[in-house]
Amino acid sequence: MDVVVVGAGAAGIAAARRLARTRLSVQLIEAATRIGGRAWTCNIAGLPLDLGCEWLHSADRNPWTRLAKAAGFAIDRRDPAWGSQYRDLKFTQAEQAAAHQAFADWTEHLQSSPPRSDCAADAMEPGGAWNAFIAAMCGFISGAAPDRFSAKDFAAYDKASTDNNWRAPSGYGALIAASLPRPIDLRLSTPITSIELDRAGLVMATPYGSIRARTAILTLSTAALSADAIKLPPGLDAWRRAAASLPLGRNEKVFLEILGDSPFESETHALGDPRDPHTGSYYIRPLGRPVIECFFGGEGSKILEAGPAAGFEHAADQLAALFGSGIRRFLRPLVATCWSRTTHIGGAYSYALPGHAAARADLARPFEQRLFFAGEATRTIDFSTAHGAYASGVRAAEEAIAALAKGRT
């Protein structure tokens, strides 16, 4: 093969789409039994539920928005209800205004006068009344507490993002999976165990035999790349260190089905406890569907380490504290995620450790013009998103195309 793309998530699919416009021989291999990676739309109870990425962030400049239109996928452009608390339950309008202002002040501080430590928590007001709220928001956005991630890295994302967050009603994961170029030489359930370089290119070992290629594009998650599950060629220690400096955050979802004539209104939202950094965030009847989508981020997602039942119970407890204990009879568990335990992925999306924002550019560097790296973690902006992964896949594909063209001249 001219190019083997490792990983059929958003980055791998984007790379394959770019390579499909050439005459190069291309193979796409994926360790899992499905394509999409951290984009996964599941049909549960007759509903297309996104267990992974769901919102087209910065949708006005997001390439998946264009691809959705071309493929006939509908886009819902309504503003999300994240910034509101349903009927001000245990969170008055004055408190909401103060909490959101505190978060805005903190993000502005990151931009205008970042702390020397590069630790995002050091930009918070000591003893600030809404520091727990800021920490909760960081859990949803980055999958980690603010003392864990780089101020510079967070500010770069925040500065580049737009306020347009849209949805694909049939599923973001479904859109990404449907964007796989066809025909394509695709191999599922094919994890690689080692990569060796030789004069002709490289050899990848899999449980089903070896794959030879002139070049490869690796779209592995940083958790997979920094682990020892894949034996890499000598000289890639710097790439492993870069990946280790960009750990995956913890973000999980729990879906509760709404039964009967409940008090839950469509397209509304509530925080379980805005004063608790571990609180859940509850999106009620998204797109009018009879579900509550419960988000847990950062340390809050650890509730699911005890299993999905613990997540269902915790979500029901927080909702009952807001709406009254009687609402429990309207709720039935549907599904819960476990991204941090998902083989070959190992978490949600990347954040940079304090002092390591430059690791994103380090991870994106080609190795000997034979190994190329893609994935959301290789973006200095738009990381942690499917559109960031898309851009990285296109970039890596173009690097491989240029390297192969140079080798032929």
Side-chain angles (χ1 to χ4, degrees):
M1 308 301 296
D2 287 317
V3 189
V4 171
V5 180
V6 180
I13 289 173
R17 288 178 61 87
R18 176 64 185 89
L19 292 164
R21 290 159 41 197
T22 70
R23 294 184 178 182
L24 298 172
S25 56
V26 180
Q27 187 173 81
L28 178 60
I29 65 173
E30 167 58 51
T33 58
R34 62 174 181 84
I35 63 173
R38 286 165 277 179
W40 187 12
T41 303
C42 274
N43 193 295
I44 299 172
L47 303 170
L49 303 180
D50 273 313
L51 303 189
C53 59
E54 176 180 359
W55 293 84
L56 284 81
H57 298 299
S58 299
D60 49 326
R61 60 176 183 80
N62 186 324
W64 294 111
T65 305
R66 169 179 53 81
L67 292 172
K69 182 177 181 181
F73 276 72
I75 295 293
D76 186 291
R77 303 187 178 211
R78 285 178 291 180
D79 290 335
W82 300 327
S84 62
Q85 181 81 353
Y86 177 70
R87 294 190 176 179
D88 305 328
L89 293 175
K90 297 189 176 181
F91 196 21
T92 68
Q93 289 194 11
E95 290 171 335
Q96 291 175 58
H100 290 296
Q101 186 61 54
F103 184 81
D105 291 344
W106 173 72
T107 56
E108 194 280 330
H109 190 180
L110 294 179
Q111 297 278 357
S112 62
S113 52
R116 289 186 178 182
S117 64
D118 193 40
C119 176
D122 291 343
M124 297 168 70
E125 177 187 352
W130 293 105
N131 283 355
F133 175 85
I134 294 171
M137 296 303 103
C138 291
F140 302 133
I141 296 168
S142 298
D147 63 348
R148 288 283 299 158
F149 59 78
S150 160
K152 181 179 179 180
D153 193 61
F154 188 97
Y157 176 92
D158 188 63
K159 184 176 181 180
S161 64
T162 75
D163 291 330
N164 293 302
N165 298 286
W166 302 339
R167 286 169 289 184
S170 54
Y172 204 171
L175 166 62
I176 290 172
S179 301
L180 182 73
R182 291 179 175 82
I184 182 83
D185 184 356
L186 171 66
R187 295 189 186 184
L188 296 176
S189 303
T190 307
I192 60 172
T193 56
S194 70
I195 302 173
E196 295 183 0
L197 302 183
D198 60 21
R199 291 184 179 181
L202 54 92
V203 181
M204 294 183 175
T206 80
Y208 311 107
S210 296
I211 300 172
R212 286 190 167 273
R214 297 175 65 199
T215 63
I217 297 173
L218 305 184
T219 72
L220 305 170
S221 75
T222 55
L225 193 58
S226 61
D228 296 326
I230 301 172
K231 182 181 178 181
L232 297 177
L236 278 173
D237 288 348
W239 280 258
R240 278 202 194 274
R241 286 195 298 271
S245 298
L246 301 166
L248 297 186
R250 302 174 64 95
N251 293 87
E252 305 292 356
K253 295 181 182 181
V254 166
F255 288 87
L256 298 171
E257 184 177 14
I258 300 173
L259 306 173
D261 186 19
S262 75
F264 300 116
E265 295 183 19
S266 179
E267 284 292 318
T268 55
H269 168 267
L271 282 175
D273 183 353
R275 298 161 186 83
D276 179 1
H278 306 141
T279 187
S281 172
Y282 302 95
Y283 210 106
I284 301 167
R285 292 189 182 272
L287 300 168
R289 294 166 178 163
V291 297
I292 297 178
E293 190 170 10
C294 317
F295 297 84
F296 297 98
E299 295 297 304
S301 68
K302 288 186 176 181
I303 190 71
L304 285 153
E305 288 183 352
F312 295 133
E313 182 179 359
H314 184 68
D317 286 346
Q318 284 209 316
L319 289 165
L322 292 174
F323 290 87
S325 60
I327 60 93
R328 292 179 186 274
R329 69 180 184 274
F330 299 110
L331 301 175
R332 180 168 65 188
L334 269 184
V335 65
T337 65
C338 54
W339 290 107
S340 62
R341 296 185 181 182
T342 301
T343 306
H344 310 300
I345 295 178
Y349 31 74
S350 67
Y351 62 90
L353 296 175
H356 291 279
R360 298 193 183 279
D362 292 340
L363 185 59
R365 292 180 297 128
F367 179 69
E368 294 190 2
Q369 295 302 304
R370 285 188 282 182
L371 287 178
F372 303 89
F373 295 83
E376 53 86 13
T378 66
R379 293 284 292 170
T380 56
I381 61 169
D382 297 337
F383 46 83
S384 78
T385 67
H387 64 277
Y390 184 96
S392 76
V394 173
R395 183 261 307 152
E398 291 178 344
E399 289 172 345
I401 292 167
L404 288 168
K406 186 176 181 181
R408 283 181 171 140
T409 58

